[in-house]
Amino acid sequence: MISIKNVSKTYHNGTHALYDINLEIQDSEFVYIVGPTGSGKSTLIKLLDGEEIPSKGEVIVQGIDVGKLKHSKVPLYRRNIGVVFQDYRLLPRKTAFENVAYALEVVDAPKDELRKRVREVLKLVDISDKSNAFPSELSGGQQQRVAIARAIANRPKILIADEPTGNLDPKKSDEIIRLLEKINREEKTTILIVTHDIEIVRHHPKRMIAIDNGHVVADLAEGGN
Amino acid sequence: MFHRFFRHIKEGFIGVGRHFGMAISSASAVMITLVLIAVFVILTWNIQTVTSTIESSISIVASIDYEAESESSRSNIETAIKAIPGIDTVEFRDKDEEFTYYAEMQGEEERDFYEQYRSSNPFHDVFLVSVEDGLDIQEITSQIATINGVYGVYDGGTNTYTLVSLFANIRIFGGALVIALCLLATYLVYNTIKITIASRKDEIWIMRNVGAKNGYIRAPFLVEGVIIGGLGSLIPIILTIVLYYLMYDNLGGSLFGAFTLVEPFPFILYVALGLFVTGIGVGFIGSYISVCKYLRLRR
Ligand SMILES: Nc1ncnc2c1ncn2[C@@H]1O[C@H](COP(=O)(O)OP(=O)(O)OP(=O)(O)O)[C@@H](O)[C@H]1O
Ligand SMILES: [Mg+2]
């Protein structure tokens, strides 16, 4: 469970990004976070994965007070969370398979189990046939699938995607959201999607948290009430 | 575990290869540093041996007043001398022994000439005082002179002071130079690793993102730093060993025929080991600071 209590965030340069946020997200939930540019959505994600520390209040994820984590404990905590970005961030000199395997290697997964798991997630994101392709040989949608595969390889409890469809056409965007729904169903992963794309929210209705100017302005359960 | 260990080693070598020019230039900096360290260590070590020979031969001679020759005042003086800080040993020699000592320093004929004066012995009872540090000798001499019952004090005089403090200055100056050079070499390794880190920023970002521990991220860069340091120590080690042996053989083991040189074995192997450890240490510390600084900025 994610529990955000009275959280405010002011950056070092004095920018107020979030004001007194209160949110609870249950395990296996599927949630959209929407809001205009500069409203504080990415900041909220950075507080969740431990990149930033709240200026006030506390962020509790799976019982861990994320803001109070010591620098050296952040990596272990972060294995609970997979993050996917708009720009994929794959290693250009590694194949799709190697990119996913990399995420498992750096956390010291045993080698035989590693190969099995890589094949499994590549299959889950439906890109098995491109295992040996380099990122430059893949389309945007395919690269995003590899990025998602990498993010879930470690079986994180929570998958966060910051604008995962930002660079994709509507059809490809739709496929990615359907993939995330499948991961939510099959791996019981909590999914948080930051998006500008209201079409997506309309076609795949879920709980939607709207942020504006650092405030939560709406928190609508699936179906819109 | 082993698999992981070798991966770090491999990544380290790849890192050196990727920025070969940088690696070579900072390895050269390490090399120059180590050559200078070697020269300095060999020089001071040899001087040190000479200095300790001089220092151990320096003693202060404090002669006792004729009026203070009684058992009790003698022991008072001895206590007073021993109370001065920096005193190593105090040895008593009565005037008879002093007479014999000086008589024996003369040739056969003069000795007989001296012997006739033994009954009216003009010498004083003396304390022979040795000090712990040659640099204190002047200070201690003047302190002994103020003790009641001390007739006169003699040490080697200005020449000894100058020699001892010259050697001490060489040591201090050389030591400071070595430390400064080590810092410079560390800084160059630090910069090289900073550039390698910059070129692998994306990879580090991903590693952090999927939860790689700091130690895991650090490892290949530390290996890289150690490789640079190790490379830099290779040539100085060979140079030191070969040149010292050559010098020792050609000079016949002594300098100006006056100072004996330290025997090459095992001395030069210790120096070589020291160079190796310093090279690797400089590489390790330089890269360690570099990665830690980078990692600390990000959570
Ligand atoms: N590292 C930072 N240092 C200082 N200010 C920052 C930093 N990151 C973000 N901000 C500021 O905080 C505010 C919220 O930024 P944030 O990135 O959370 O917005 P966002 O909702 O993700 O916007 P977008 O939709 O454009 O990605 C903005 O005013 C931004 O300029
Ligand atoms: Mg953003």
Side-chain angles (χ1 to χ4, degrees), chain A residues 9-18 33-46 52 86 162-163 194-196 211 213-214:
Chain A
K9 175 67 189 178
T10 308
Y11 282 105
H12 291 300
N13 63 4
T15 311
H16 297 286
L18 294 173
I33 298 170
V34 298
T37 197
S39 55
K41 306 181 296 293
S42 296
T43 302
L44 187 63
I45 286 175
K46 286 178 188 159
E52 295 287 349
Q86 181 176 357
D162 198 349
E163 308 271 1
V194 171
T195 185
H196 275 122
I211 297 185
N213 245 319

Side-chain angles (χ1 to χ4, degrees), chain A residues 174-191:
Chain A
D174 202 64
E175 281 171 22
I176 291 293
I177 298 300
R178 251 183 287 156
L179 170 61
L180 293 172
E181 284 178 330
K182 182 166 141 199
I183 291 167
N184 176 239
R185 242 182 359 253
E186 290 183 10
E187 306 244 320
K188 300 276 168 267
T189 311
T190 309
I191 309 252

